């Protein structure tokens, strides 16, 4: 045997001698980790027993906790939260509801009052609030790069704070922080469920990166580089694997639309416990608004209802509206107004509104555009009652409560040709048209021209069809499907 053979044989013996100790050490570390996690679980369970007491009837109430760090934001997700709590209070007398929130700038009473003022939702019993101090861990601004992964890991730290402050019997993530589910299930010993408004990552997002399309979450410097696009695609596939792993541990999965259902089924593979629960839209309140004949043929308002977040794509609305005003024949005949209604959650949203106002100035439409921020429910109804067109521009909107509200109020809806509006909401009803869809500046402007050019009686026919179609999104329908879905958690 040559010198090289001797060296290889020696190396092989060395590796063999190290292999058994390495396996042994790995086994010991795994056992230690399991013991540590089991010890933490027992410790948490002990704290739970010490922190709970029996009710007036001598029985300990069943505690259902909702993880909703932005419960005072005033958006569609918050409407789902408060309706879900009210539904449980109506159905189960032995259930106590808890909300984990990071809204430390308001008291519990102020948060509940805000829910009533914005959504017309009055709770039957008091709710316990657990105020979290580390909400900044889930702020997107903290993670300028690898935002999805950063926010998801940050939610684990925020979830740990929540678990340390209060341990429930049932845990429901109602805001899309799926990475908290295994924490509460395996360490907290809770039955866990979730209501998914929008998948953290979707196959559509993967296709955007793969095709190198520019979107608000896919910057130009990435799309212009094949190397960066491939790296981001690998990162997205890795994150999708983790997302599917943590989501699959949920005992009950509720999704808000057919579009969300398809993505969650492909990522989480939890079809047996997944169901569609349409969000509760206050359709009756808007249906009670009288559908009057159009009194004016010269003054029209176009209303948008959505939070001032980047994915809502308000710039598209303003640019399309500017193109509409350039239609000389139409502009000479009509007085047009665009009213942007929405909530601002934080300084980033407020800065976004400032930028939108600057865009209006650049396009010369400031006199025709009005911003109404964090308005009351009553004011929202007044604007929708007077509007001719309801405008929506978010690509792949998971559902679109604002779209439903516009249709119920009697506007002619013009929504994005994707997501929930395309597959669930702005669809023919009994063979009749209920609204219009578009996907870019030109098609939006063209659609608005077409709507405003229709005879008043034709617009009324579309409005009536839309109104009849929205009953399937009522609060009563939400209550029925929500209770049916969460029943396995409450047994």
């Amino acid at each position: 045997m040559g010198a090289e053979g001797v060296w290889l044989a020696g190396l092989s013996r060395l590796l063999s001698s190290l292999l058994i100790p390495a396996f042994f050490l790995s086994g010991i570390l795994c056992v230690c980790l399991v013991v540590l996690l089991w010890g933490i679980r027992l410790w948490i369970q002990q704290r739970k027993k010490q922190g709970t007491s029996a009710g007036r009837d001598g029985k300990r109430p069943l505690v259902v906790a909702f993880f909703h760090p932005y419960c005072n934001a005033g958006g569609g997700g918050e409407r789902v939260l408060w309706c879900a709590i009210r539904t449980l209070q109506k159905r189960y007398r032995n259930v106590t509801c808890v909300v984990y929130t990071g809204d430390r700038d308001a008291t519990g009473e102020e948060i509940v009052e805000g829910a009533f003022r914005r959504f017309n939702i009055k709770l039957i019993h008091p709710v316990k609030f657990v105020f979290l101090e580390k909400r900044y861990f889930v702020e997107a601004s903290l993670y300028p790069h690898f935002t999805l992964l950063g926010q998801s890991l940050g939610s684990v730290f925020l979830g740990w704070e929540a678990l340390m402050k209060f341990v429930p019997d049932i845990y429901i993530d109602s805001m899309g922080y799926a990475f908290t589910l295994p924490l509460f299930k395996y360490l907290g010993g809770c039955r866990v469920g979730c209501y998914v408004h929008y998948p953290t990552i979707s196959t559509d997002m993967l296709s955007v990166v793969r095709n190198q399309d520019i979107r608000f979450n896919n910057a130009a410097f990435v799309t212009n580089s094949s190397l960066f696009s491939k790296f981001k695609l690998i990162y997205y596939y890795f994150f999708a694997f983790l997302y599917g792993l943590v989501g699959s541990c949920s005992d009950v999965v509720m999704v808000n639309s057919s579009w969300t259902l398809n993505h969650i089924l492909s990522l989480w593979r939890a079809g047996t416990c997944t169901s569609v629960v349409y969000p509760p839209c206050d359709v009756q309140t808007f249906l009670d608004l009288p559908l009057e004949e159009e009194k004016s043929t010269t003054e029209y308002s176009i209303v948008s209802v959505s939070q001032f977040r980047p994915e809502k794509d308000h710039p598209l609305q303003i640019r399309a509206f500017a193109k509409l005003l350039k239609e000389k024949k139409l502009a000479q005949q009509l007085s047009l107004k665009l009213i942007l209604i929405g909530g601002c959650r934080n300084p980033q949203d407020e800065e976004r509104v400032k930028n939108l106002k600057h865009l209006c100035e650049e396009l010369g439409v400031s006199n025709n555009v009005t911003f109404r921020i964090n308005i009351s429910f009553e004011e929202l109804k007044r604007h929708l009652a007077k509007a001719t067109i309801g405008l929506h521009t978010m690509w792949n909107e998971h559902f679109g409560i604002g779209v439903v509200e516009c249709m119920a109020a009697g506007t002619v809806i013009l929504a994005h040709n994707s997501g929930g509006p395309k597959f669930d909401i702005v669809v023919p009803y009994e063979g009749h048209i209920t609204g219009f869809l578009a996907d870019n500046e030109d098609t939006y402007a063209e659609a608005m021209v077409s709507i405003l050019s229709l005879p008043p009686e034709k617009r009324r026919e579309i409005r009536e069809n839309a109104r009849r179609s929205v009953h399937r999104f009522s609060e009563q329908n939400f209550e029925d499907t929500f209770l049916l879905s969460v029943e396995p958690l409450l047994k």
Side-chain angles (χ1 to χ4, degrees):
M1 182 183 295
E4 184 178 346
V6 172
W7 181 82
L8 288 174
L11 180 62
S12 177
R13 285 194 296 271
L14 176 62
L15 292 175
S16 298
S17 64
L18 293 175
L19 191 60
I20 294 177
F23 274 122
F24 183 70
L25 181 61
S26 299
I28 292 177
L29 290 175
C30 288
V31 171
C32 291
L33 180 61
V34 171
V35 171
L36 176 62
L37 293 176
W38 185 253
I40 293 174
R41 178 186 170 101
L42 292 178
W43 174 65
I44 291 175
Q45 292 303 303
Q46 188 62 34
R47 291 181 71 245
K48 176 182 177 181
K49 291 179 181 179
Q50 294 173 353
T52 57
S53 57
R56 295 179 181 177
D57 57 358
K59 297 180 180 179
R60 191 173 82 61
L62 190 66
V63 180
V64 180
F66 292 83
F67 190 75
H68 209 104
Y70 296 91
C71 72
N72 202 32
E78 288 66 59
R79 165 172 277 282
V80 172
L81 169 69
W82 301 119
C83 276
I85 291 174
R86 185 181 62 183
T87 300
L88 290 177
Q89 291 179 342
K90 286 168 64 176
R91 175 65 177 81
Y92 297 98
R93 300 180 64 181
N94 67 323
V95 164
T96 297
C97 293
V98 173
V99 177
Y100 295 112
T101 179
D103 293 301
R104 295 186 297 144
D105 57 345
T107 65
E109 291 77 10
E110 290 172 339
I111 293 173
V112 172
E113 174 60 30
F116 175 70
R117 180 172 55 86
R118 293 168 183 160
F119 306 121
N120 199 32
I121 297 174
K122 190 172 184 62
L123 301 181
I124 301 171
H125 305 296
V127 171
K128 178 178 179 180
F129 290 91
V130 177
F131 290 92
L132 307 176
E133 300 177 4
K134 298 181 175 60
R135 190 175 70 179
Y136 59 86
F137 275 127
V138 297
E139 293 281 354
S141 58
L142 191 63
Y143 312 99
H145 305 292
F146 301 100
T147 308
L148 293 181
L149 185 60
Q151 284 185 289
S152 297
L153 295 179
S155 72
V156 176
F157 287 100
L158 187 62
W160 177 255
E161 180 191 355
L163 188 59
M164 288 298 96
K165 287 189 173 181
F166 187 85
V167 186
D169 299 302
I170 297 168
Y171 171 81
I172 298 177
D173 164 43
S174 53
M175 205 175 171
Y177 294 108
F179 281 70
T180 62
L181 294 171
L183 188 68
F184 277 82
K185 181 171 185 174
Y186 299 118
L187 292 185
C190 310
R191 283 163 279 174
V192 300
C194 60
Y195 188 96
V196 183
H197 298 276
Y198 194 84
T200 305
I201 192 168
S202 66
T203 53
D204 287 336
M205 292 169 66
L206 292 170
S207 66
V208 164
V209 178
R210 189 184 304 112
N211 298 331
Q212 296 181 247
D213 294 334
I214 296 178
R215 296 281 180 178
F216 77 93
N217 56 356
N218 196 36
F221 81 90
V222 175
T223 61
N224 293 333
S225 170
S226 178
L227 180 62
F228 284 163
S229 292
K230 288 179 181 178
F231 179 77
K232 186 170 184 178
L233 190 60
I234 293 171
Y235 158 56
Y236 267 19
Y237 273 116
F238 171 71
F239 183 81
F241 169 76
L242 294 179
Y243 183 59
L245 203 62
V246 298
S248 62
C249 76
S250 185
D251 299 309
V252 166
V253 180
M254 293 168 280
V255 297
N256 66 344
S257 68
S258 303
W259 180 86
T260 306
L261 174 68
N262 293 333
H263 287 287
I264 288 299
L265 289 179
S266 66
L267 292 167
W268 290 13
R269 304 187 185 283
T272 56
C273 62
T274 304
S275 57
V276 176
V277 179
Y278 287 130
C281 304
D282 193 7
V283 295
Q284 192 55 54
T285 298
F286 291 101
L287 289 171
D288 289 340
L289 296 173
L291 191 63
E292 300 177 355
E293 296 289 340
E294 296 182 15
K295 297 178 181 179
S296 171
T297 57
T298 59
E299 296 181 2
Y300 294 99
S301 65
I302 300 166
V303 172
S304 162
V305 183
S306 59
Q307 287 184 315
F308 289 101
R309 304 204 305 259
E311 61 270 25
K312 297 300 182 179
D313 206 353
H314 289 89
L316 174 56
Q317 298 180 4
I318 295 171
R319 290 194 297 267
F321 181 69
K323 286 196 172 186
L324 171 65
L325 294 181
K326 289 180 180 179
E327 290 289 330
K328 294 183 180 180
K329 183 178 178 181
L330 194 67
Q332 290 173 354
Q333 296 174 346
L334 308 177
S335 174
L336 302 174
K337 195 82 173 179
L338 174 62
I339 303 174
L340 302 179
I341 300 173
C344 281
R345 305 162 299 170
N346 49 42
Q348 288 79 15
D349 287 354
E350 293 171 1
E351 181 65 25
R352 199 166 289 116
V353 171
K354 289 182 181 179
N355 293 334
L356 291 172
K357 290 180 178 179
H358 289 319
L359 178 61
C360 290
E361 293 175 1
E362 292 174 9
L363 297 175
V365 297
S366 295
N367 293 335
N368 298 84
V369 179
T370 301
F371 290 82
R372 303 299 298 146
I373 301 168
N374 297 331
I375 64 174
S376 68
F377 186 73
E378 290 302 316
E379 185 177 351
L380 170 65
K381 288 196 298 182
R382 287 196 296 272
H383 282 296
L384 288 179
K386 297 177 181 178
T388 299
I389 298 176
L391 191 60
H392 164 275
T393 49
M394 178 177 169
W395 172 71
N396 273 342
E397 171 79 80
H398 37 99
F399 179 70
I401 289 180
V403 175
V404 174
E405 290 176 343
C406 286
M407 293 169 69
T411 71
V412 179
I413 192 66
L414 173 56
H416 199 283
N417 190 25
S418 64
K422 177 180 180 179
F423 295 109
D424 291 298
I425 305 174
V426 191
V427 295
Y429 178 73
E430 295 181 350
H432 301 290
I433 185 174
T434 58
F436 298 83
L437 299 169
D439 55 15
N440 57 49
E441 294 176 34
D442 293 329
T443 55
Y444 270 101
E446 291 167 5
M448 285 188 281
V449 170
S450 298
I451 294 169
L452 295 170
S453 301
L454 289 172
E457 57 272 16
K458 181 60 178 178
R459 277 199 296 268
R460 182 181 179 87
E461 180 184 330
I462 296 172
R463 293 159 69 197
E464 290 175 343
N465 292 337
R467 278 191 145 193
R468 284 194 294 268
S469 74
V470 298
H471 287 286
R472 57 210 166 99
F473 307 122
S474 66
E475 290 184 357
Q476 185 59 54
N477 185 67
F478 170 82
E479 290 182 4
D480 294 340
T481 53
F482 177 78
L483 288 173
L484 191 63
S485 297
V486 299
E487 187 178 2
L489 295 176
L490 296 161
K491 287 182 178 179

